[in-house]
Each structure stands twice: as C-alpha cells, then as structure tokens.
Amino acid sequence: MKEKPWKPWLLLSPSLTAVFLLLIVPVCFVVVYSFWLRAPSGMDIPAFQFGNYAKFFADSFYPVILLNTIRVALETVFICLIMGYIPAYFFYRTESRLKPFLMILVMLPFWISFIIRTLSWINILGDSGLINHLLLKYGMITTPLPMLYNEGAVIMGLIQYLLPFMILNIYVSLDGIDKSLTEAAQSLGCTEWQAFREVTLPLSLPGVSAGCLLVFVLTCGTYLPPMILGGPNNEMIANLIFKRVIGTLDWPFGSAISVILLLLLVIIVYTYNRYMGINQIFKSLSKG
Amino acid sequence: MGKQLKKRLDDVYQNYLEGNITRRDFVKFAGIAGAALGLAGGPFGLMGNAFASKSITCHSWGGTTSEALRKFAFDPFTKATGIEVIDAAFTGMDAFLTQVKASYPPGGEFNIAHLSAVYDYARYTDLGFGVVLDESKIPNLKNVMTKMTDTLRGITNGTLSTVPYDLGQTGIAYNTNHISKEKAEKLGASLLYDKSLKGKLGSWGGDFRTNMWYAALHTGQSPNNITDVDAVWDALTEQRSMMKKYWASGSELMSLLANGEISATVAWSGRVAALQDQGHPIGYLAPDGTYSWMEYMYVLKGTDLEVAQQLLNFMLEPEASIAVAQGQKYPPALDPTKVEMPEDVKKLPAFDPTGKLNGYLFADPAYWNKHQLEWAEKWDRIMAGA
C-alpha cells in the first residue's frame, strides 16, 4: 500500500496548531516587544531599537543576577542529582510489591499546588516553625536558627518542586538497562560497586543528563521559591522579569530580559541536543 | 451578546476614527469580533443566552477585604436588584494594571476595581481607562468626605471615574514583646532604621514609594518634596543590611508579624488592626508624616455605567459602607459629621472624626508618577543589593 505523506502531518496538526498559537506566537510577541519603547505613562511605543538590550548589559546589575540564577540552578541540579539518583536506583533494583505505590509517592507532590507546597516551608523552617520549635523546646538551641529567607531555603523550595523530574528521568533510563549486563559483569569478577560504576552508571547517563537539563531549565525560569522563601540577597532573573513587567509596566525591557534568558536556555538545550540527543527527555516524560 | 459586541465594535470604531488605534488593529478586532459572533450565534448563542444574566465584576484585595465587600455589599445588592456581582481578587495594583492593559480593547474585560492611592487614579486615567460617572445617579456621594472627592476631581477636570470608599495609612507595626511603646514613639520613622533590630526588620518590597516615604522621614525630608534623594537611597541601602524579608502581600505581612519572624515593618493600618483583634502582640505607630491613602471604586472604560452607578450608590449606603469598614478594618470614606459612626469604627487607625482630613499626608500623584520608572528601578537595585 502506498504511504500517504500527509497523514502524519494530519495527525500532528492539533498539537502543532496548539504549539504554534500558544508558544510560537506569544514568543514572537515577546521578541517584538523587546524592541519597543516605554512611555513614562506606561504606554508602549512601537519602535525598532536595541536600547533595552543595551540597558541590560550597561552595568553589572542585570548580568550579575543572571549569573546568580545560573549558579543557583547549577547548585539545585547537583543536589537533585544526588538526591534523585538514589531513589531512582532503588526503584530499578527493587522487586518489592510496593514499587508502584512508592512510584506514586514520587508523583504525589504534583497533586498539591506548587504555591501551597512552597508556603508550607515557612511553617517548617521559620523562627517559630516546626524545627526551631522542637529544638527550642528540648533546649538544644537558645535562639531560633535562621533557616528561612536565605539561599538555602530557596534551594530547598526548588528541590521539593524539581526532585520528581530528576527521579523519573533517571529511573526511565535505568529501567531500560538489561539487568543481565550487571550480572555478567559480576560473573566476570566485578564487585557490585565496580559493576555499578562500569556498567549501570554509564548506561544511565542519558537519563541523568536529561534530568539535569530539565531541572536546570525549570530553575532558571521559576520565581515563586525566591519570592516566598528568599531574602534580600536571593533575587533571580525571573523575579526581575516579573518586577519589570508587573511592577513598572515596562513590558519592552521585561521582554528583552526574557529574550536574553530564552536565548541562553536555547544555547544550552542546543548544546545538549548536539551531544546527548533531546529524545531522551521525551522518552522520560512519556514514561512518567 | 450581540448588543455587547456591537457596542464594543462601536467603541473600537470610534477609537479608530479618533486615531487612538491603527487601521490594522481595527481590522484585527473586527475579524475577531466576526469570528466570535459566528461562534456565539446559532446553538452556541442559544446556550449562552440560557446562562446569561446581568452582572458586573469587581476586583478587590482578597482576604478580609473581599470577604467584607461580598458579605455586606455585593450579596445584599444582588438580593435587592437581581444583578450578580462577580467578586474577583487581584494580587496588587500593578499586577491588575498589567491585566487591564493586556485586555483588548483596553479595560473592556474589567468593570470596577478597588484601587488605592491617588497616584494610581492618575495612572489609570492617563492610560485612558477612566469614565465619567453621572453623579446624579449616585446620590449617596453627598455623604463622602469632600476632601476626598475634590482631590480626585482635581485629576479628572472636575469629573469622577470613581467613588472614594475608605481610607487607611501605611504606618509602622512593631512587636510589643520586643519593642516598647515608649521606644517606638521616641524613634518614630527611625524605628525602621534601629540597628538593634538587625535581622528582624521587614518592609514592603513591591512599592518603592512606601520605602522612600519612610526613608525621607528618617532623613528629615518631606516625602512629597525630597530634596536630597541620595540621602534616601543611602538610608535604604543601610536599611537593607538589617532587613530579614521584603514582603510581597498583605497576608505575608500578617504571617511575618504573627509568627514573630520580624519585629518591625511598615504596615497597612487595617492589617495591623486585624492582627490586634486576633490578640497578637502588635503595636501600631503613626509618626508625623505617616503615609495616608484613600481607596476608591474605580469604574473602568467599557463598563455598563447604569449598573455600576447603581452598585456604587448601594455600596455608599451608610449601613453597607459601615459594615464593610468594620469587616475590613479601614474607616469608610463617609463624613463622620454627616453620618453617625459606631464606636468600633471610631477606634480604627486613620479614622478622622472631623471629616476634613487635615494633617493627613497623601502622596502627591504628579510628583511620584513623574519619577515612577526611574525610582522603581533604583529601588529594585537597592533591594537586590546592587
């Protein structure tokens, strides 16, 4: 039977239309806005000029916040990787009947609003929160520990949001590894640790890198944890965009910052795709 | 639906004729309107008509404020007239202005907003979102403090796009377990710069005006005429090093104070009164030059004025207005020399028994709006530690 070349496109057309209308078109608007000017009254003046981009790089203020964002994102990725690999590996190895239940537990946070989950840390880490309350009650400290409104609290908030993404990506990668490979390695004289290091770990790297990429990209674009759990020193680039767009109604400059962030992330994703292949992420997400 | 659409088209066409929108935008809207009419007609339209009812949307501050409005003004209004009031909340005036600005045609998706401060009355009006109310349809307006209506009239050439509804202050809240009343009153605005409170201070991160206002008072300047702005920035930079949290919302402010996370902060008088009512050890300080503001019900362009005026008049009925004031803890805009106020309202912060508001310092809209972009950006930099 002759293949109909238009058939896949027909099947894809609803998704492509949605992506075009809900992603491509808005991004185009943002790009166009980034060249406009803002009148003192808050009105936007159509123009084509690079003043908003020049303003971003005019002094160190904005680039420093961008670099801080990248630093926090890398720290979050690192911690999520360590914290995520262990449960993912456990899911891969376990034969327990509780495995499906444990997997649901990983997904459970998604059932609760992100804002509520973030706000709840205030009751845990605050001066009169659970931890300080218990430590004070049992005389282990005399003044509350400053655990809230600092970078540690922001990263904590980011981890609770992003850890499931990391676990699922790594697990999907691990799940695709034939367990007989490690058994073969061990039968040839490897210790369990050597088999993990030489066989399992390298084969799980695509999932690790997919998880790292997702966590990194999502961290760069999030603004709630720094806003709710951060202090004066924890400004991130998404908060800056929020303030420019909402606070000062400076949509053109807010758009320019968004485009700069977008370009940075595109470069990172492009680099990832070139060396690792972006299909690993789709594979992980579809499994999740 | 058809009538509304036709009215919208007429408005857009008028704007096009006046040169306010381009031909391309006009054609775009006409196209969208045609498509909408196509969808809304036939079976879709019949279904829509079945569910349609006369309604008006009112955006307010959420929490206790929206609750009081709903309970004491909107629900009784619906009961009396059959007109539904859709009660919505915004996260802040800036965010709401962004939404209004993003709607098309501008302002058309929104009806009434419970806005705060005269500079925002000027901002919304300058952006073309205002209307001219027919005051003869709002007879209860005569009970409102004259100084409030006159201030707003001054911005809109003698007309009104709003009715004043309540007033309040941004004063200083302090934890009485850690700061004595004597110390607070002695330091005044400088309490917010007291080095002994390092790590226990808070402030509203979302508003450069509030922070500059108190920095101006701290440095001995008039907030509406800052002559040494560098001294203000220096004071705010110094204060930042002592700051625990720049809060972003009224509920966050209340949570920080109630949980003892911070010992002193600028604070909205109604929120402090609510905390005091709940029994928290929070004191309220209104030093000389305290930042006062009025709140008003701004009617946005595109709203059905007949319905809006009917609702506003109902809201200004003394029973409704006083009940809302008791619920949200802000004194009403009604003149106490014309309308008898209950004792609990007389005790609210910012209440003025004379109804003249003499000695109340409001932000000068022209002065603050002129510097808005420059100072807001500078404030962001200071907050971020630049």
Side-chain angles (χ1 to χ4, degrees):
Chain A
M1 187 188 256
K2 196 183 170 188
E3 189 76 18
K4 291 171 181 166
W6 48 266
K7 212 169 181 179
W9 292 107
L10 184 69
L11 291 169
L12 277 172
S13 59
S15 313
L16 289 176
T17 307
V19 168
F20 179 75
L21 291 177
L22 302 176
L23 185 70
I24 307 293
V25 171
V27 167
C28 289
F29 272 117
V30 170
V31 173
V32 169
Y33 255 109
S34 71
F35 298 111
W36 285 23
L37 291 165
R38 178 203 187 272
S41 65
M43 293 297 273
D44 306 310
I45 304 167
F48 183 75
Q49 47 85 43
F50 292 89
N52 296 315
Y53 292 95
K55 187 176 170 182
F56 185 90
F57 295 105
D59 62 44
S60 62
F61 176 66
Y62 298 109
V64 162
I65 290 180
L66 184 60
L67 290 175
N68 272 341
T69 305
I70 292 170
R71 182 178 54 76
V72 169
L74 290 174
E75 287 170 5
T76 308
V77 165
F78 180 72
I79 298 170
C80 277
L81 177 59
I82 303 296
M83 290 178 70
Y85 202 100
I86 296 165
Y89 188 72
F90 172 78
F91 292 140
Y92 165 59
R93 299 293 299 181
T94 186
E95 301 291 334
S96 168
R97 282 183 304 168
L98 293 174
K99 185 175 165 181
F101 172 72
L102 295 172
M103 291 292 287
I104 287 174
L105 284 184
V106 175
M107 306 290 287
L108 201 62
F110 291 123
W111 298 1
I112 305 165
S113 155
F114 178 36
I115 296 176
I116 302 293
R117 276 187 283 149
T118 308
L119 282 171
S120 65
W121 283 105
I122 294 173
N123 295 322
I124 298 169
L125 302 175
D127 280 3
S128 54
L130 181 69
I131 297 174
N132 273 319
H133 175 75
L134 290 175
L135 292 175
L136 285 167
K137 186 178 175 183
Y138 292 107
M140 298 169 81
I141 53 171
T142 50
T143 52
L145 296 174
M147 292 181 286
L148 201 56
Y149 308 127
N150 51 38
E151 191 168 302
V154 173
I155 291 176
M156 179 89 81
L158 288 166
I159 289 169
Q160 62 91 22
Y161 164 44
L162 298 164
L163 190 58
F165 291 101
M166 183 67 89
I167 293 173
L168 292 174
N169 272 286
I170 297 173
Y171 170 69
V172 169
S173 195
L174 285 168
D175 201 39
I177 301 171
D178 188 344
K179 283 180 183 154
S180 62
L181 289 175
T182 48
E183 288 164 9
Q186 282 176 294
S187 71
L188 290 170
C190 280
T191 62
E192 203 168 325
W193 167 246
Q194 280 174 323
F196 169 76
R197 205 183 58 203
E198 301 293 336
V199 179
T200 311
L201 185 61
L203 289 173
S204 68
L205 282 182
V208 168
S209 52
C212 290
L213 181 69
L214 262 183
V215 170
F216 182 84
V217 169
L218 290 171
T219 303
C220 285
T222 190
Y223 75 95
L224 266 177
M227 192 164 92
I228 294 173
L229 303 174
N233 294 319
N234 309 120
E235 189 91 317
M236 286 173 68
I237 198 77
N239 300 84
L240 202 60
I241 295 169
F242 177 82
K243 283 177 185 167
R244 290 280 76 81
V245 172
I246 304 290
T248 54
L249 282 187
D250 193 352
W251 292 9
F253 187 46
S255 300
I257 304 174
S258 305
V259 171
I260 289 167
L261 178 63
L262 184 68
L263 286 176
L264 179 77
L265 296 179
V266 165
I267 290 168
I268 290 166
V269 172
Y270 175 79
T271 310
Y272 172 87
N273 188 38
R274 191 173 169 84
Y275 293 104
M276 301 300 297
I278 202 93
N279 59 335
Q280 182 62 34
I281 295 179
F282 300 131
K283 186 181 160 193
S284 307
L285 288 175
S286 61
K287 187 104 176 184
Chain B
M1 175 79 184
K3 275 183 188 171
Q4 280 178 353
L5 206 56
K6 183 181 178 307
K7 189 175 176 305
R8 284 276 182 79
L9 265 172
D10 288 346
D11 287 345
V12 174
Y13 183 57
Q14 192 63 34
N15 272 314
Y16 167 56
L17 290 179
E18 289 169 7
N20 296 330
I21 60 170
T22 63
R23 185 166 56 114
R24 180 174 291 188
D25 281 344
F26 172 69
V27 172
K28 191 168 69 184
F29 182 76
I32 293 169
L37 200 60
L39 280 173
F44 296 104
L46 290 175
M47 200 155 69
N49 288 340
F51 289 102
S53 65
K54 212 166 190 183
S55 65
I56 188 162
T57 304
C58 184
H59 281 76
S60 186
W61 294 87
T64 50
T65 303
S66 287
E67 200 179 312
L69 286 169
R70 186 166 52 246
K71 194 170 170 187
F72 302 114
F74 299 157
D75 287 350
F77 177 75
T78 303
K79 203 173 171 186
T81 63
I83 299 170
E84 186 191 0
V85 183
I86 300 164
D87 171 24
F90 46 61
T91 50
M93 286 173 298
D94 292 327
F96 183 67
L97 182 52
T98 308
Q99 285 181 294
V100 173
K101 191 180 156 190
S103 68
Y104 194 88
E109 301 301 316
F110 304 92
N111 300 139
I112 296 178
H114 188 188
L115 300 182
S116 182
V118 180
Y119 52 77
D120 260 328
Y121 184 76
R123 270 211 297 171
Y124 277 74
T125 303
D126 288 348
L127 286 166
F129 299 141
V131 298
V132 176
L133 291 175
D134 180 354
E135 294 178 32
S136 69
K137 303 273 176 66
I138 315 171
N140 287 324
L141 196 57
K142 68 178 186 300
N143 289 330
V144 171
M145 286 184 253
T146 315
K147 184 166 180 180
M148 294 175 91
T149 45
D150 284 352
T151 305
L152 299 172
R153 279 185 217 282
I155 293 165
T156 37
N157 302 320
T159 65
L160 286 175
S161 180
T162 187
V163 297
Y165 203 63
D166 54 75
L167 71 153
Q169 289 177 330
T170 304
I172 298 171
Y174 60 95
N175 189 317
T176 52
N177 287 342
H178 300 291
I179 301 165
S180 69
K181 189 179 177 191
E182 294 71 31
K183 181 181 176 180
E185 285 175 352
K186 184 182 166 199
L187 289 175
S190 296
L191 178 66
L192 298 168
Y193 295 84
D194 183 15
K195 288 189 168 56
S196 71
L197 296 176
K198 185 171 182 175
K200 296 298 277 181
L201 279 174
S203 192
W204 184 15
D207 187 43
F208 71 97
R209 300 172 201 89
T210 302
N211 291 280
M212 289 185 72
W213 188 282
Y214 277 95
L217 292 178
H218 172 62
T219 55
Q221 302 185 69
S222 162
N224 278 327
N225 183 25
I226 298 170
T227 50
D228 185 359
V229 77
D230 287 339
V232 166
W233 299 133
D234 290 345
L236 290 171
T237 305
E238 184 198 345
Q239 188 194 42
R240 182 190 175 278
S241 64
M242 302 188 285
M243 195 61 62
K244 182 165 195 178
K245 178 71 177 168
Y246 289 112
W247 44 268
S249 67
S251 50
E252 193 179 13
L253 157 71
M254 290 176 77
S255 163
L256 288 165
L257 284 169
N259 291 327
E261 294 285 347
I262 55 174
S263 297
T265 176
V266 292
W268 303 325
S269 55
R271 299 283 181 165
V272 178
L275 282 170
Q276 288 171 335
D277 260 15
Q278 291 164 17
H280 293 288
I282 304 297
Y284 180 71
L285 176 69
D288 283 345
T290 289
Y291 185 2
S292 301
W293 33 263
M294 64 169 87
E295 293 194 322
Y296 44 88
M297 296 292 168
Y298 194 93
V299 181
L300 289 150
K301 193 174 182 177
T303 300
D304 183 335
L305 289 186
E306 288 296 322
V307 175
Q309 285 156 180
Q310 200 179 349
L311 173 62
L312 294 178
N313 192 55
F314 187 92
M315 291 174 76
L316 285 175
E317 287 286 349
E319 297 76 28
S321 194
I322 288 169
V324 171
Q326 288 167 323
Q328 67 166 354
K329 310 288 181 204
Y330 288 111
L334 301 180
D335 189 336
T337 63
K338 297 176 187 170
V339 177
E340 180 61 30
M341 295 288 165
E343 284 305 312
D344 57 339
V345 170
K346 288 179 186 172
K347 286 180 187 159
L348 289 173
F351 177 77
D352 178 24
T354 68
K356 298 193 185 311
L357 299 176
N358 290 335
Y360 284 61
L361 195 56
F362 296 93
D364 175 356
Y367 178 75
W368 287 95
N369 285 354
K370 186 172 68 182
H371 298 289
Q372 199 245 353
L373 188 58
E374 179 198 347
W375 286 356
E377 283 193 20
K378 177 71 179 172
W379 166 239
D380 277 354
R381 284 170 181 257
I382 287 173
M383 266 202 302

